Amino acid sequence: GIQVEQSPPDLILQEGANSTLRCNFSDSVNNLQWFHQNPWGQLINLFYIPSGTKQNGRLSATTVATERYSLLYISSSQTTDSGVYFCAVRSNFGNEKLTFGTGTRLTIIP
Amino acid sequence: NAGVTQTPKFQVLKTGQSMTLQCAQDMNHEYMSWYRQDPGMGLRLIHYSVGAGITDQGEVPNGYNVSRSTTEDFPLRLLSAAPSQTSVYFCASSYLGLAASYNEQFFGPGTRLTVL
């Protein structure tokens, strides 16, 4: 099945810093989503982005489907950005399921 | 819209007990699924359904049963709980179809299950 790799696995930043999280996938996809899992365990939808670029406030994402990667940018980090960020994809050749990466744990220090 | 709801939020079972985790959605989504999340890992698919009366196995289906009698509900049954089933369980739903222009998946708040 499709493989999803996220990097870096852990990231510790000062408040106000910018960061880039990467998601590589091994096959062509028709769905790619970024989630933020907050410290209470909730999965929050950030972006639905199978291709192209989207922005939502301090967050933006870019997916280059032909090169099989996606990037999540977080600018001017706040402590509330802490948590785990997951990338999940749906392969063009499978069923409807999302395959998740193992996540990037982001810690923002005041 | 309430979105995707799950009950209970927390549950403790003894080995060998059975229980049902409830999941409901009010978005008229055809596709529903159950995932489990173990510490330090991403989510893994247990079972999924593409419509009422249709279910199929994901990557970790052993020890779990599902049924889909209505579009709205997709319960997950543990027949004989084992400590290896201690996990956080998430239900998700979306519109269906490779041709769908928008099939973003939405997740419920999760059920934290401990099996002693």
Side-chain angles (χ1 to χ4, degrees), chain B residues 13-94:
Chain B
L13 293 177
K14 294 181 180 177
T15 297
Q17 288 185 314
S18 63
M19 80 158 295
T20 300
L21 280 62
Q22 301 291 345
C23 174
Q25 53 90 12
D26 60 359
M27 297 174 280
N28 204 30
H29 286 163
E30 302 95 339
Y31 180 76
M32 296 185 74
S33 56
W34 278 100
Y35 293 83
R36 61 177 286 173
Q37 183 180 28
D38 299 308
M41 298 181 68
L43 278 69
R44 293 183 293 166
L45 183 67
I46 304 171
H47 285 287
Y48 66 96
S49 168
V50 297
I54 305 169
T55 64
D56 206 345
Q57 296 181 351
E59 52 185 306
V60 288
N62 293 341
Y64 307 95
N65 274 0
V66 292
S67 60
R68 183 103 177 263
S69 56
T70 67
T71 299
E72 294 79 19
D73 300 298
F74 190 44
L76 178 72
R77 296 183 187 84
L78 282 69
L79 303 176
S80 177
S84 60
Q85 293 179 303
T86 294
S87 190
V88 181
Y89 291 85
F90 289 96
C91 179
S93 74
S94 72

Side-chain angles (χ1 to χ4, degrees), chain A residues 5 10 21 41:
Chain A
E5 294 183 355
D10 291 280
L21 283 57

Side-chain angles (χ1 to χ4, degrees), chain A residues 5-22:
Chain A
E5 294 183 355
Q6 291 186 244
S7 59
D10 291 280
L11 192 55
I12 302 174
L13 298 171
Q14 291 285 145
E15 200 168 20
N18 301 330
S19 58
T20 300
L21 283 57
R22 187 176 180 100

Side-chain angles (χ1 to χ4, degrees), chain A residues 30-31 33 35 37 40-43 45 47-48 54 86 90-92 94-102, chain B residues 31 35 37 40-43 45 48 50 59 90 95-98 100-107 109 112:
Chain A
N30 55 53
N31 179 358
Q33 293 183 236
F35 297 90
Q37 188 166 40
W40 295 270
Q42 280 185 294
L43 278 168
N45 289 36
F47 292 102
Y48 170 80
K54 290 187 177 179
F86 288 105
R90 192 182 80 180
S91 169
N92 275 339
N95 54 34
E96 303 290 326
K97 78 163 191 173
L98 284 178
T99 299
F100 280 75
T102 52
Chain B
Y31 180 76
Y35 293 83
Q37 183 180 28
M41 298 181 68
L43 278 69
L45 183 67
Y48 66 96
V50 297
E59 52 185 306
F90 289 96
Y95 292 114
L96 182 68
L98 292 177
S101 60
Y102 191 75
N103 56 10
E104 181 177 3
Q105 287 202 20
F106 295 89
F107 283 76
R112 188 174 296 273

Side-chain angles (χ1 to χ4, degrees), chain A residues 2-79:
Chain A
I2 192 167
Q3 304 297 314
V4 183
E5 294 183 355
Q6 291 186 244
S7 59
D10 291 280
L11 192 55
I12 302 174
L13 298 171
Q14 291 285 145
E15 200 168 20
N18 301 330
S19 58
T20 300
L21 283 57
R22 187 176 180 100
C23 172
N24 291 337
F25 43 95
S26 61
D27 212 338
S28 58
V29 300
N30 55 53
N31 179 358
L32 188 145
Q33 293 183 236
W34 283 98
F35 297 90
H36 174 212
Q37 188 166 40
N38 64 22
W40 295 270
Q42 280 185 294
L43 278 168
I44 298 163
N45 289 36
L46 296 178
F47 292 102
Y48 170 80
I49 187 166
S51 64
T53 297
K54 290 187 177 179
Q55 179 153 10
N56 184 3
R58 296 181 296 104
L59 274 61
S60 63
T62 295
T63 297
V64 184
T66 53
E67 297 187 22
R68 299 182 183 171
Y69 74 89
S70 183
L71 302 173
L72 177 68
Y73 305 97
I74 305 173
S75 64
S76 304
S77 299
Q78 300 174 358
T79 55

